[in-house]
Amino acid sequence: MIGIFGGTFDPIHYGHLRPASEVRHSLDLDALYLVPAANPPHRVSPIATPAQRMAMLELAMTEFPDLKADDRELQRGGLSYTVDTLQSFRSDYPQTALVLLMGTDAFEGIESWHQWQRLPELAHLIVMQRPGWEPESSRDWVAERIASSASELATQLAGRILFYPVTPQAISATGIREALAAGGQVSGMLPQPVLDYINQNHIYR
Ligand code: ATP
């Protein structure tokens, strides 16, 4: 199984890295790709440039060598639709189960995503618990796809939804950007090489 975890990563932090790493190991994924969005459709443009967000991901990987960074959305440019990204991974891995990771907040809004009905046709969805957000499984299309254990995902290439408890990390990129802009402390929320890079390049100040 190949994992795909999209985000703005403005900047990457332990709230992304630790849950992703936990999923990678507990589900024994063959690889887990972090895919930064060029322009995320539903939000204001990132502050850090695509090159800076990619550089921060690469720096974070030194502490998380079990994760990989993938720049296909940045290469593609324009609005980054997850459906296009999954289609692209599906072409690379025609016969391998794909799992799309997201936090509970992202899953909550998934029905506003471009061609969202195609997402479970292309991949399994793994919803990682995020502090302050309760998983919502009452929607019909969700209820009929719920997997009760990770082992169920291996039996098909796509189509199941797994709510996965990860160690909660009360960290957000917004919180980090706001703290940095106010001259506050963010150590412990993201890898030190990433923080050094932010400081050296005066991002978010
Ligand atoms: P922002 O505060 O700028 O909205 P963010 O911290 O939510 O950023 P994103 O890059 O927007 O980070 O999120 C990418 C993905 O990571 C989303 O699926 C989101 O749900 C998930 N995610 C972010 N932070 C956490 C966290 N602390 N725990 C679990 N999942 C998280």
Side-chain angles (χ1 to χ4, degrees):
M1 288 199 288
I2 299 287
I4 299 151
F5 184 26
T8 318
F9 305 129
D10 185 28
I12 183 82
H13 54 69
Y14 285 134
H16 305 124
L17 294 160
R18 290 183 181 137
S21 183
E22 282 180 27
V23 170
R24 158 97 164 84
H25 289 285
S26 358
L27 273 69
D28 198 22
L29 300 180
D30 299 305
L32 174 45
Y33 295 98
L34 274 63
V35 187
N39 273 307
H42 292 295
R43 48 188 292 161
V44 293
S45 296
I47 292 179
T49 65
Q52 288 174 329
R53 289 183 292 123
M54 194 65 195
M56 292 189 281
L57 269 181
E58 301 281 7
L59 287 168
M61 309 288 88
T62 60
E63 203 174 296
F64 290 82
D66 48 332
L67 306 177
K68 296 181 195 300
D70 183 286
D71 69 352
R72 71 186 68 204
E73 292 190 358
L74 302 179
Q75 294 293 343
R76 203 161 67 220
L79 288 179
S80 296
Y81 294 123
T82 301
V83 67
D84 297 333
T85 301
L86 291 184
Q87 190 73 64
S88 163
F89 273 99
R90 181 46 80 209
S91 308
D92 292 352
Y93 298 98
Q95 293 303 331
T96 305
L98 298 178
V99 299
L100 177 68
L101 278 63
M102 65 188 74
T104 20
D105 58 312
F107 182 67
E108 195 90 346
I110 195 169
E111 285 165 41
S112 65
W113 296 15
H114 185 60
Q115 297 185 358
W116 67 273
Q117 289 96 334
R118 290 186 56 214
L119 302 175
E121 294 169 10
L122 289 161
H124 298 298
L125 308 184
I126 295 194
V127 184
M128 303 179 292
Q129 120 196 19
R130 189 166 183 180
W133 296 83
E134 281 305 312
E136 205 272 287
S137 56
S138 61
R139 294 171 279 183
D140 282 351
W141 72 273
V142 177
E144 66 199 23
R145 288 184 170 81
I146 289 285
S148 48
S149 75
S151 58
E152 285 179 41
L153 304 185
T155 62
Q156 56 193 74
L157 297 182
R160 308 302 299 273
I161 300 174
L162 183 67
F163 289 99
Y164 201 76
V166 292
T167 309
Q169 307 286 336
I171 304 172
S172 74
T174 305
I176 292 173
R177 291 193 303 272
E178 287 176 357
L180 288 171
Q185 282 296 322
V186 297
S187 54
M189 297 187 191
L190 67 181
Q192 190 60 43
V194 176
L195 184 53
D196 292 341
Y197 180 89
I198 290 171
N199 288 330
Q200 280 152 17
N201 293 280
H202 311 289
I203 317 171
Y204 314 121
R205 291 284 170 195

